[in-house]
Amino acid sequence: MLMKANMVEALNLCLKQEMEKDNSVVVIGEDVGVDGGVFRVTEGLFAKFGKDRVIDSPLSEDGIIGSAIGMAAFGLRPVAEIQFQGFDYQGYHQVVQHLARMRNRTRGSITLPMVLRLPYSGGIKALELHSESLETIYIHLPGLKVVCPASPYDAKGLLAASLDDPDPVIFFEPKRLYRAFKEEVPEERYTLEIGKAKIAKEGNDVTLISWGAMTYVSMEAVAEAEAQGVSVEHIDLRTLSPCDWETVINSVTKTGRAVVVHEAPKTLGFGAEVAARIAEKALLSLEAPVKRVTGWDISIPYPKQEDYYFPDKKRILKGILDTARF
Amino acid sequence: MPISTVFEGKTEYMQILDKDSKVDAELDPGLPDEVLDRMYRLMVLGRLWDHKCINLQRTGRMFTYPPLEGQEAVSVGSVLAVKPEDWLFPSYREWFIYHIRGGPLSMVNMVWMGMEEGMKLDKNLRVYPYAIPIASNLPHAVGAAYALRMKGEKCACIAYCGDGATSEGDFHDALNFAGVWHVPCVFVICNNQWAISVPRKKQTDSETLAQKALAYGFSGVQVDGNDVLAVYKAVKEAADAARAGKGPKVVECITYRIGAHTTADDPKRYRSEDEVLYWRERDPIKRFLFYLEKKGIWSEAYEHKIHEEADRLIEDAITKAESFRQDPKEMFRYVYAGMTRNLEEQMKECFGEEGK
Ligand SMILES: Cc1ncc(C[n+]2csc(CCOP(=O)(O)OP(=O)(O)O)c2C)c(N)n1
């Protein structure tokens, strides 16, 4: 059965179904229990599954990630929430030193199937360190899968797939899209393949590559570019690691032009990797330099001026048109 | 060989002015009238300021704001207890401290209004920026105390955090280093019972937060944080001792966050109205008012006068903050001492004819 859901509702329903299906699934984080999470993604789970499976942890990201690793190693399937991606650094050493490498370290004898949920992204007039988008620091670590949905439908299917996955999955949730729109979502469980990009829109002149919140922003720019006569193929990566390079390369080989959009700073943002892969595999098809429309190499400004930082419709459109007319 | 006790600790609790304004004459620090008057004015200003900020947020003139109501005695009592040469390391909720130290009130709300200008601190006031990541500036206070001592300055560092913050690794690093280095650092824990929706009991199985100090080799004291005299006395003693080379100390102030965690929070989801009422009866301002009345400082006319004064200060501060125009180019200018070529190019792209 289909239902209309926003991303928070889709994620919430997914967690509920996973917990019903498998009683080794536990949720842990700050305020995820009684309060239902500050974004309400875990709303109602505490009442339904109780305090042993929905854990209001002490205020320590290090403790959350570290203890979730222990739980995962010993038969539970934790879904750990860090309240804002900007506070994961407090537990990041656990990710680098253990989460990403336990399988390899033990030659597969200890594995860590768990999901680390990170509300990320800006443009919501939040305080300092509440608007971060540092997916790169996870993609850079071998051993992690990094997923970043851009719609309620994808969020539900990808979170379910993340819980099925034998490896740790870092699940980036674009909080800008949490309640931005509703769409039809199957009520029953389904999964989407991790590592598979989606062609959000087919086109011939330029390939636009995005993920998460920027997919939504890019759509408006794509529509405008189309109105101005430029046919855009829009790829939503959905998974950043492992990345679906095949879909990207096939598209760029066809269009000969590429624009990549992200809100992280430009230097060493994932756009750099996208551009490098295109250079390796499709250089001879290129008719224009690969264009990056990204955040600047600065700290994200406080709310009053944050709009100067994030790629918006205007900047993305300019990126598309410049590339198309190069 | 018999088993022997290798460590025994105790942690004391102090209250001077109880909820019904009964005062313990022996403990009363006997502050001069000017100090008592200042304490009261600042607490009232803090309260009115807080209400105004919530109002500004509701009407779209401020972004997310963390209310202070109920905790005024901790900020006011502790800051007035220490010397101007002591450095303060406030937590984000206690940012009113910047004004208590003499900073313009207009600066106190600028960050919540979304402007970096609110962090452009006057170094002479000796207030360090608060940190949005919980507990993360506590080790800075320890390093600062080390540096100041090494430079021969006779001063203490006063570092603030909440009850939730005591669960973070940074809190424990800070206390451990402070103990090992024996630095002049006072940790003021503002135990307002809640860290968003998580009650104090779920943060730690310890009976008190003050006793955490014992594990790091120094002592802690618990005080009624709604009793401005007790906060004053405990922090003064701790800071005096720290300055005299006697090492760090924890002062746990038992108080209550009457308002929501922030304007984005709904406390009805996790706590009862009865609990809030219980704490309203222990209000820090009301009990101090009766104390001042007995001393002949407080009167209806006095109350009226300080409200008028506070309202004027608040209006001025808001006008000043709201009329401030921050140059957006500053976001590129303060990244490094000098602008890199890369940033120059990006700034041009952002603001040049090409950009927005
Ligand atoms: C490292 C970190 N994790 C999470 C948060 C989100 N957060 C903001 S305030 C808060 C609760 C803080 O509680 P406490 O230390 O008791 O201070 P209070 O808010 O009660 O003043 C949380 C979890 C944060 N700001 N920083």
Side-chain angles (χ1 to χ4, degrees):
Chain A
M1 229 183 35
L2 290 173
M3 58 182 261
K4 281 262 188 198
N6 64 30
M7 195 182 284
V8 168
E9 291 159 347
L11 290 167
N12 179 255
L13 178 61
C14 177
L15 286 173
K16 190 173 137 246
Q17 290 172 341
E18 296 305 313
M19 294 186 81
E20 276 167 348
K21 171 172 144 308
D22 176 357
N23 59 22
S24 68
V25 175
V26 297
V27 165
I28 175 170
E30 292 155 16
D31 306 284
V32 296
V34 179
D35 203 33
V38 296
F39 293 107
R40 309 289 178 244
V41 171
T42 55
E43 170 106 52
L45 300 181
F46 183 84
K48 194 166 166 54
F49 300 103
K51 66 174 177 39
D52 292 343
R53 292 185 65 197
V54 184
I55 307 163
D56 267 329
S57 75
L59 208 180
S60 168
E61 293 71 18
D62 179 18
I64 292 167
I65 301 174
S67 62
I69 288 173
M71 292 175 188
F74 286 80
L76 295 183
R77 244 178 214 259
V79 179
E81 172 180 304
I82 298 299
Q83 210 157 69
F84 291 85
Q85 194 243 299
F87 304 132
D88 55 0
Y89 314 121
Q90 264 79 346
Y92 186 59
H93 72 101
Q94 290 289 354
V95 176
V96 182
Q97 296 163 356
H98 300 291
L99 188 61
R101 45 174 64 225
M102 190 63 86
R103 175 187 292 278
N104 184 61
R105 175 187 292 148
T106 63
R107 303 284 101 163
S109 68
I110 298 180
T111 58
L112 301 174
M114 62 173 268
V115 178
L116 183 61
R117 293 183 37 242
L118 302 176
Y120 91 101
S121 90
I124 57 161
K125 305 282 180 210
L127 291 166
E128 191 185 4
L129 287 158
H130 287 64
S131 303
E132 311 303 287
S133 180
L134 292 194
E135 55 273 28
T136 292
I137 67 174
Y138 293 95
I139 303 167
H140 199 57
L141 302 176
L144 301 177
K145 294 188 174 170
V146 182
V147 171
C148 183
S151 73
Y153 175 84
D154 286 359
K156 185 166 184 279
L158 285 167
L159 184 58
S162 300
L163 271 144
D164 283 349
D165 205 275
D167 284 306
V169 177
I170 313 298
F171 200 84
F172 274 79
E173 296 172 9
K175 52 187 183 286
R176 194 204 281 234
L177 302 188
Y178 266 156
R179 295 171 190 281
F181 63 97
K182 292 193 177 214
E183 69 179 359
E184 291 203 325
V185 171
E187 223 178 299
E188 57 275 16
R189 184 179 204 269
Y190 60 94
T191 58
L192 296 172
E193 190 184 334
I194 290 178
K196 192 95 197 86
K198 172 164 93 178
I199 299 184
K201 196 201 135 298
E202 287 187 23
N204 299 309
D205 302 336
V206 180
T207 301
L208 185 138
I209 299 136
S210 67
W211 54 93
M214 283 298 122
T215 290
Y216 187 65
V217 179
S218 298
M219 278 171 169
E220 293 177 20
V222 169
E224 181 61 32
E226 296 271 334
Q228 297 191 25
V230 178
S231 166
V232 183
E233 181 141 298
H234 186 180
I235 297 175
D236 173 5
L237 290 180
R238 296 201 295 197
T239 302
L240 304 175
S241 182
C243 188
D244 182 359
W245 296 119
E246 198 183 335
T247 298
V248 173
I249 299 303
N250 285 346
S251 176
V252 177
T253 306
K254 174 175 76 175
T255 61
R257 295 165 201 268
V259 177
V260 54
V261 183
H262 59 72
E263 52 192 298
K266 183 174 192 170
T267 299
L268 280 181
F270 194 54
E273 183 66 25
V274 173
R277 295 281 172 155
I278 292 171
E280 280 173 1
K281 293 273 163 66
L283 186 70
L284 299 179
S285 309
L286 284 181
E287 289 170 64
V290 176
K291 176 83 185 165
R292 286 183 279 168
V293 182
T294 67
W296 313 113
D297 290 326
I298 62 175
S299 296
I300 299 173
Y302 287 5
K304 201 137 220 174
Q305 285 167 348
E306 68 177 20
D307 291 346
Y308 288 105
Y309 176 88
F310 297 105
D312 57 6
K313 179 179 158 187
K314 203 170 142 191
R315 265 173 69 195
I316 300 169
L317 178 65
K318 184 171 161 4
I320 297 171
L321 297 180
D322 285 355
T323 304
R325 291 164 188 165
F326 181 83
Chain B
M1 205 129 342
I3 291 173
S4 59
T5 302
V6 290
F7 175 77
E8 243 173 346
K10 76 168 188 229
T11 299
E12 293 176 331
Y13 172 81
M14 176 167 66
Q15 183 189 53
I16 299 175
L17 191 61
D18 77 5
K19 79 177 211 320
D20 303 316
S21 304
K22 265 207 301 297
V23 62
D24 184 322
E26 240 165 68
L27 291 175
D28 188 340
L31 298 173
D33 286 2
E34 317 85 84
V35 177
L36 297 174
D37 165 61
R38 211 167 147 226
M39 276 179 167
Y40 188 74
R41 274 169 206 266
L42 284 167
M43 287 204 283
V44 170
L45 177 63
R47 174 85 41 108
L48 295 174
W49 174 244
D50 186 60
H51 289 175
K52 184 69 183 186
C53 289
I54 292 168
N55 200 279
L56 290 179
Q57 193 278 337
R58 295 221 170 105
T59 49
R61 289 157 71 186
M62 196 177 276
F63 300 108
T64 310
Y65 167 76
L68 180 68
E69 180 163 7
Q71 305 178 198
E72 296 88 349
V74 177
S75 304
V76 173
S78 61
V79 178
L80 296 194
V82 303
K83 297 196 167 169
E85 59 266 32
D86 294 334
W87 270 88
L88 308 176
F89 290 71
S91 81
Y92 73 103
R93 193 183 300 284
E94 269 129 344
W95 194 228
F96 184 58
I97 278 176
Y98 191 66
H99 177 65
I100 305 176
R101 246 306 156 82
L105 190 59
S106 59
M107 288 275 286
V108 176
N109 62 5
M110 278 180 121
V111 168
W112 314 115
M113 285 177 156
M115 291 179 272
E116 281 82 352
E117 188 69 13
M119 280 286 181
K120 207 167 175 178
L121 308 179
D122 177 352
K123 273 196 159 175
N124 295 318
L125 298 177
R126 299 201 159 206
V127 184
Y128 191 78
Y130 61 84
I132 292 288
I134 297 301
S136 59
N137 63 354
L138 297 176
H140 304 185
V142 175
Y146 188 98
L148 290 163
R149 181 176 65 187
M150 203 154 154
K151 293 189 162 193
E153 286 205 36
K154 274 258 166 287
C155 67
C157 290
I158 319 297
Y160 296 78
C161 71
D163 43 304
T166 65
S167 298
E168 287 281 8
D170 280 335
F171 172 85
H172 296 274
D173 287 336
L175 265 66
N176 190 37
F177 278 51
V180 170
W181 293 345
H182 208 66
V183 287
C185 197
V186 179
F187 299 96
V188 177
I189 304 175
C190 185
N191 174 2
N192 66 7
Q193 312 304 325
W194 291 94
I196 311 188
S197 72
V198 180
R200 148 64 187 88
K201 274 202 152 28
K202 280 198 188 172
Q203 293 294 345
T204 172
D205 218 18
S206 301
E207 197 57 34
T208 70
L209 300 175
Q211 79 198 57
K212 302 271 178 196
L214 295 174
Y216 296 105
F218 51 101
S219 71
V221 61
Q222 198 182 56
V223 302
D224 181 343
N226 285 5
D227 168 4
V228 70
L229 298 178
V231 173
Y232 180 95
K233 190 176 164 71
V235 173
K236 182 169 190 321
E237 284 172 4
D240 287 349
R243 259 182 257 108
K246 294 192 179 128
K249 178 129 185 173
V250 165
V251 179
E252 176 190 2
C253 305
I254 308 287
T255 180
Y256 193 75
R257 187 194 82 214
I258 293 287
H261 164 67
T262 66
T263 45
D265 171 52
D266 174 11
K268 285 198 202 74
R269 295 173 68 93
Y270 53 81
R271 69 185 193 188
S272 73
E273 276 302 305
D274 283 352
E275 186 185 297
V276 181
L277 264 177
Y278 171 91
W279 284 97
R280 277 195 188 280
E281 283 166 9
R282 281 153 185 77
D283 188 84
I285 298 183
K286 209 164 58 192
R287 75 171 79 168
F288 194 52
L289 180 161
F290 291 123
Y291 174 81
L292 294 187
E293 192 179 24
K294 271 183 234 151
K295 291 218 166 239
I297 296 172
W298 189 90
S299 67
E300 296 271 348
Y302 169 83
E303 181 80 12
H304 189 72
K305 197 178 95 214
I306 65 170
H307 273 252
E308 256 182 15
E309 242 174 53
D311 287 343
R312 213 172 35 243
L313 266 171
I314 289 169
E315 281 317 311
D316 282 357
I318 290 163
T319 309
K320 206 162 152 216
E322 287 191 331
S323 58
F324 181 79
R325 291 287 164 265
Q326 186 166 281
D327 177 1
K329 290 203 173 82
E330 282 194 354
M331 65 197 216
F332 288 97
R333 275 194 201 123
Y334 287 100
V335 182
Y336 299 101
M339 181 102 73
T340 59
R341 273 285 290 283
N342 175 48
L343 287 182
E344 265 169 22
E345 278 167 24
Q346 292 194 1
M347 188 167 91
K348 220 166 118 206
E349 197 183 333
C350 183
F351 297 107
E353 321 80 65
E354 296 188 340
K356 303 198 187 201

